[in-house]
Every structure is written in structure tokens, then in C-alpha cells.
Amino acid sequence: MEFPLKQLALAGSVWLVLSASAQAESSLPPLDRTVAVVENQVILQSELDQAVAQARQQLASRQQTPPAADSLRRSVLDQMILQRIQLDIVKRAKGRVDEKAVDEALATFAQQQGAPSVAAFTQAVQARDPSGVERLRQQIRDSMLLSELRQQTLASRIRITDRDLDNFLASPEGQTLQ
């Protein structure tokens, strides 16, 4: 049986396209996978890997021995989940952070890192990672929001009665303040 020339050319073209697409797919980075879903947010494997690496780096800087890999990974994932839940609570309550406060915190962090200026620090961060400065600013915002949530939670638990106040004022410390 003979194949017409057009069919052979078409088959050859299809084979070339399929082999080219297979090569292109093999050169693509593997897809990130989901490790957890919190409310409507996804925690990706790459995020978890990055957080575990940061945790290891922090432990090493404190000269502490890290726990077993599985234990550290689970602990970091638990912290990420808790943080996402807390941030979701703050966002629902319309919590906001003043950008000036973020700038001040970034300046303090840059100084702690030994940078001569904020501009030099941000340039160094951007040289390593183009989106690093914005990611750092977001971490600062998140940290400030979580701190505000903790303070509000603590303040809501503290109840001072009139009797507590009277007892304090009658105490030696209260007498000293009067």
C-alpha cells in the first residue's frame, strides 16, 4: 500500500510538532503544588520550601540545632496556616497599616542589617531578587497587622474592676504613685 506524498508530509509535520512540544514541555519548570488551603488562600510548595529555608537560616544564625526535617516542615506549615488565618481575621476587620510606619520599620531593619542607608539596602535586596523589596514590605505590613491583632486580643481579655483599682491604690506601689 502506498501513501500519497501529501499524507506523508502531513504525518511528518504532525510528528515534528508533537516532538517539539514534548521537548518544550520537558524544558519547562515543574508546576508548583498546593500543600494547604486556608480560607480562600493557597499555600504552595515553593512558599513552604522558602519558609523552611528561612527558618533553618534563622536557627543557624542563633546557633541552634534545627529539629528533624519533617518536624521543622510541619511546624513551619502550621505557623504559615495560623498566620494566614490571623491575617484573614485582620483583613475582615478592615485592619490597615500606615505606609509611613512601614517605611520607618524598613529603615530600622536596614539599619539593623548594617546598611549605610535605606536606598543602599533596597538596591542590595533588588539585586538579589527584583521583587524582594515589595515582598519584604508585605512581610512588614503583615507583621504589624498581626501585632495589632495580638494587642487587641490581649486588651479584650484584660478586665480591671473597681475593686482591682482600689486594691492597687491601697498597695505600697499605688501609694508611691500617689
Side-chain angles (χ1 to χ4, degrees):
M1 174 181 243
E2 291 184 31
F3 288 102
L5 191 55
K6 284 184 177 179
Q7 287 179 337
L8 284 174
L10 180 62
S13 296
V14 168
W15 181 81
L16 282 173
V17 168
L18 289 176
S19 67
S21 69
Q23 287 177 349
E25 285 180 18
S26 67
S27 66
L28 293 174
L31 293 176
D32 219 347
R33 71 181 188 94
T34 301
V35 293
V37 178
V38 182
E39 299 289 327
N40 60 351
Q41 300 176 45
V42 174
I43 297 176
L44 299 174
Q45 181 69 49
S46 60
E47 292 175 288
L48 178 59
D49 292 342
Q50 186 177 23
V52 168
Q54 285 177 339
R56 278 197 177 105
Q57 189 177 33
Q58 287 175 354
L59 289 170
S61 72
R62 295 181 200 148
Q63 296 159 349
Q64 294 177 335
T65 305
D70 289 344
S71 176
L72 179 63
R73 187 171 210 74
R74 184 75 208 154
S75 176
V76 168
L77 180 59
D78 289 346
Q79 286 176 335
M80 290 176 76
I81 290 169
L82 180 62
Q83 184 178 25
R84 298 276 172 103
I85 291 169
Q86 290 173 334
L87 284 171
D88 194 50
I89 290 169
V90 171
K91 287 175 184 173
R92 285 183 190 171
K94 307 279 190 238
R96 294 209 172 119
V97 174
D98 180 34
E99 286 303 307
K100 186 177 178 184
V102 174
D103 292 340
E104 290 171 2
L106 183 62
T108 301
F109 186 70
Q111 184 180 20
Q112 290 171 346
Q113 298 301 311
S117 68
V118 176
F121 177 74
T122 57
Q123 286 176 345
V125 170
Q126 283 181 321
R128 283 183 300 208
D129 179 8
S131 62
V133 173
E134 187 49 44
R135 194 170 31 249
L136 179 59
R137 290 182 66 81
Q138 187 60 49
Q139 288 175 345
I140 291 170
R141 277 185 212 99
D142 291 349
S143 177
M144 292 173 123
L145 287 170
L146 292 175
S147 178
E148 182 181 318
L149 176 65
R150 286 183 200 106
Q151 288 175 355
Q152 288 174 356
T153 302
L154 184 60
S156 70
R157 292 181 182 171
I158 297 174
R159 301 280 185 240
I160 300 175
T161 65
D162 287 339
R163 184 174 182 177
D164 293 331
L165 190 56
D166 291 338
N167 287 340
F168 174 74
L169 292 174
S171 72
E173 295 88 8
Q175 292 296 318
T176 303
L177 288 174
Q178 289 180 0

